[in-house]
């Protein structure tokens, strides 16, 4: 029996190490310290604002993000650049079927499928970007994969995520004001800036 003890011990240690590697921690988005900012442009002007965001990140025992689920309530949309009155008109229009169609699609969602090291090469990446985040982004009834460079840093029980990228609204069927010959033509690409703080649960 004593000759069996070494292999059994080795197997026990291997299983233990595998369990450690599989162990994950959950980080909950701190809503009052997080936002998703947007900027939409026409040929001669632009508007910008933000959405609230909620959700969670998963981090493995090596300190690497292994997953995440995020929800963006469309009703939380804000505008930064217009005065009261025109601001409310714009927000009501953005919630209408011309854009987000809030009545039928109250939320946008993002599901992380992979996180890999960022090897540089994207000139528009946020300064200090160290990872590429890939996932499924769902909006107004459609889901498409997106990838973007992000700066993800961990400080104690807090994870900070910062990113800048663009999405093409036409890919999700947001086709209003898409004719360059019309008096109002909106550019297809919308700029997105992420500032998300998550706290370990």
């Amino acid at each position: 029996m004593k000759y069996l003890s070494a292999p059994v011990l080795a197997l026990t240690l291997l299983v233990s190490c595998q369990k450690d590697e599989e162990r994950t921690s959950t980080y909950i988005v701190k809503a009052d310290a997080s936002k998703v900012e947007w900027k939409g442009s026409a040929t001669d002007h632009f508007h910008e604002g933000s959405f609230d965001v909620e959700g969670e990140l998963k981090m493995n025992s090596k300190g690497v993000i292994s997953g995440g689920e995020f929800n963006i309530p469309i009703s939380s949309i804000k505008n930064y650049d217009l005065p009261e009155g025109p601001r409310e008109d714009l927000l009501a229009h953005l919630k209408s079927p011309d854009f987000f169609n809030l009545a039928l699609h109250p939320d946008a969602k993002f599901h992380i499928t992979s996180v890999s090291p960022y090897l540089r090469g994207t000139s528009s990446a946020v300064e200090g970007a160290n990872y590429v985040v890939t996932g499924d982004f769902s909006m107004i009834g459609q889901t498409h994969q997106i990838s973007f460079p992000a700066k993800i840093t961990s400080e104690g029980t807090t994870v900070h995520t910062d990113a800048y990228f663009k999405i093409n609204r036409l890919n999700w069927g947001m086709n209003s004001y898409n004719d360059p010959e019309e008096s109002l033509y909106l550019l297809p690409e919308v700029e997105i800036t992420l500032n998300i703080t998550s706290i370990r649960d």
Side-chain angles (χ1 to χ4, degrees):
M1 292 296 292
K2 67 179 181 179
Y3 296 107
L4 294 176
S5 61
V8 170
L9 177 60
L11 181 60
T12 301
L13 289 173
L14 177 60
V15 171
S16 177
C17 289
Q18 288 176 336
K19 287 183 178 179
D20 285 342
E21 289 182 359
E22 294 171 359
R23 186 177 296 122
T24 60
S25 298
T26 300
Y27 290 76
I28 305 300
V29 172
K30 186 173 171 56
D32 60 358
S34 304
K35 58 187 174 182
V36 176
E37 295 184 302
W38 57 270
K39 180 179 179 180
S41 300
T43 53
D44 58 353
H45 69 281
F46 64 86
H47 294 300
E48 53 189 355
S50 68
F51 293 95
D52 294 344
V53 59
E54 54 200 24
E56 63 181 33
L57 282 172
K58 298 290 186 179
M59 182 180 287
N60 65 24
S61 59
K62 295 181 179 180
V64 177
I65 301 299
S66 58
E69 301 282 347
F70 302 89
N71 187 71
I72 301 169
I74 300 304
S75 62
S76 70
I77 190 170
K78 300 176 181 64
N79 167 259
Y80 295 160
D81 57 273
L82 290 175
E84 187 175 359
R87 179 195 305 132
E88 298 309 312
D89 291 341
L90 173 66
L91 294 179
H93 194 189
L94 291 174
K95 295 173 185 177
S96 78
D98 280 347
F99 293 98
F100 290 102
N101 202 355
L102 172 64
L104 293 182
H105 306 288
D107 300 288
K109 298 181 183 295
F110 182 61
H111 166 72
I112 294 177
T113 55
S114 68
V115 177
S116 58
Y118 173 60
L119 303 178
R120 311 296 183 230
T122 304
S123 60
S124 61
V126 66
E127 184 176 355
N130 52 358
Y131 290 99
V132 174
V133 179
T134 299
D136 297 323
F137 182 55
S138 301
M139 180 173 68
I140 54 178
Q142 296 193 37
T143 299
H144 298 287
Q145 185 181 86
I146 61 173
S147 293
F148 53 87
K151 179 182 178 182
I152 302 176
T153 57
S154 177
E155 302 174 12
T157 60
T158 303
V159 173
H160 298 284
T161 304
D162 299 289
Y164 171 83
F165 57 96
K166 297 178 181 180
I167 61 171
N168 188 324
R169 64 188 177 90
L170 304 182
N171 292 339
W172 285 266
M174 192 180 288
N175 299 317
S176 297
Y177 306 100
N178 189 40
D179 185 350
E181 301 302 319
E182 293 293 327
S183 57
L184 177 58
Y185 168 59
L186 301 181
L187 303 182
E189 289 193 323
V190 178
E191 299 174 51
I192 304 294
T193 302
L194 304 181
N195 294 287
I196 299 175
T197 298
S198 306
I199 307 295
R200 189 163 63 200
D201 191 13

